[in-house]
Every structure is written in C-alpha cells, then in structure tokens.
Amino acid sequence: MTLDGKMRILLCEDDENLGMLLREYLQAKGYDTVLCSDGEEGYREFLRSKYNLCVFDVMMPKKDGFTLAKEIRMTNSEVPIVFLTAKTLKEDVFEGFKIGADDYITKPFSIAIVKAKIQNALRIRKTTIEHYTQTQQIVPKEITNNALDEELLSRAIEIVNQNLCNTDFSTERFAREMLMS
C-alpha cells in the first residue's frame, strides 16, 4: 500500500497496448499500478517493492507468468496472484491454481470482471488478515502440564503475534527465533 493509502498492483503483460490499457484503467479505479513487459522485469520489481496484488500474463518473453508466480511464491506465499491469459486449456488453468493463483481469467475478458476479481482477491486477503490478527486468547498455563511446556508455548505465541502481519515471516524464521534450527 502506498503512503496515500492506495493498493499497489504489479501488472506483467507483454502486449504493450493491453498492458497500458489495463494500467490506465486500474489507475483510474484508484490502484497504484506498475506495468512490466516481461517476467524477469516483473520479478525484479516485485523484490524491489511491496505489492498488494499481482496480475500476470502467462505467455511472456524472458520468463513466463507461471515461472514468475512460482518464484514469487517461494518468497511470499501471501500476495494474491491473478493470471490474465489466452491459455484456456483446463490443464493450464489447473497449473495456474496449483502454483497458487487466486484467480485465472482467460482472454478475451470483460474489464468489469477483471475489476471485480481484483476487488474480491483484495477483500479476501484483507478479511484473512483481520481474522488472524484478532485477539485469540490462548492461556498456556491452562493447556500445558508443566512449566517447560508453558514457557515454550508462551514464547511461540509471542513470536507469532509479533509477526502476524509480516509477509516475509517463514517457518524457517520461526524455528530460528524459537532456537530450534
């Protein structure tokens, strides 16, 4: 999200006309949208900045959208990804969802449908964050049998609560912080 509260969208589309049309439309709808013309540029841009949502074409030069999404999922499993592509075979759609896409839109498409699906993906993400950041009262003393387990569980709860909104927090980092790795 930008300083002025706009949601940030990373758009990767190699068709220059379509990319500019989508970027301008999304910007007119209040989204801060960055357009990249290939997957390599998109990956560099994703690492350089924070995004609330990604929209990827599948067939792009240098790095296709599926590969780009796989690489992003290795560093960030939370950001919603929407594919916008001419690949309509059910095997391609399945592959997109298997990689971790939140939605898969085939070309030709309705711009109103694209807008609605982007809004839905962002709403679901926001609702998920709100759900998991609400105070869940777990009292380690009530569910453990000894002081050592109580201390371990209290430490785990503290680490998780400190990192609930951190999209870079991983199981590896959790293990390190728990001194388990």
Side-chain angles (χ1 to χ4, degrees), residues 6-134:
K6 288 184 178 181
M7 293 288 191
R8 298 199 76 216
I9 295 177
L10 177 60
L11 171 63
C12 294
E13 171 60 62
D14 65 320
D15 180 317
E16 186 178 341
N17 291 329
L18 179 58
M20 288 191 306
L21 175 78
L22 284 168
R23 180 183 63 198
E24 289 172 13
Y25 176 81
L26 292 170
Q27 287 174 336
K29 295 301 177 187
Y31 298 106
D32 179 30
T33 307
V34 174
L35 173 62
C36 298
S37 61
D38 64 69
E40 283 184 4
E41 180 187 357
Y43 188 65
R44 283 191 306 272
E45 180 58 38
F46 183 83
L47 294 176
R48 190 177 10 248
S49 191
K50 294 276 186 193
Y51 289 92
N52 301 98
L53 182 123
C54 298
V55 178
F56 298 151
D57 185 8
V58 173
M59 297 182 290
M60 293 186 290
K62 298 185 183 178
K63 184 180 293 183
D64 67 87
F66 286 161
T67 302
L68 175 59
K70 285 177 190 173
E71 290 178 359
I72 286 174
R73 283 289 178 242
M74 285 193 272
T75 62
N76 183 320
S77 62
E78 304 300 321
V79 66
I81 296 175
V82 175
F83 286 115
L84 185 61
T85 180
K87 293 187 74 123
T88 60
L89 294 176
K90 64 181 174 186
E91 293 83 8
D92 294 321
V93 175
F94 179 72
E95 179 66 17
F97 283 114
K98 193 169 91 175
I99 290 167
D102 293 84
D103 217 322
Y104 193 101
I105 305 167
T106 58
K107 298 175 185 175
F109 57 85
S110 158
I111 196 78
I113 298 293
V114 171
K115 177 185 163 210
K117 288 181 178 256
I118 286 172
Q119 289 173 328
N120 283 346
L122 290 169
R123 180 184 45 76
I124 289 167
R125 175 74 179 125
K126 181 181 178 208
T127 303
T128 301
I129 289 172
E130 287 172 354
H131 173 76
Y132 286 105
T133 55
Q134 289 176 355

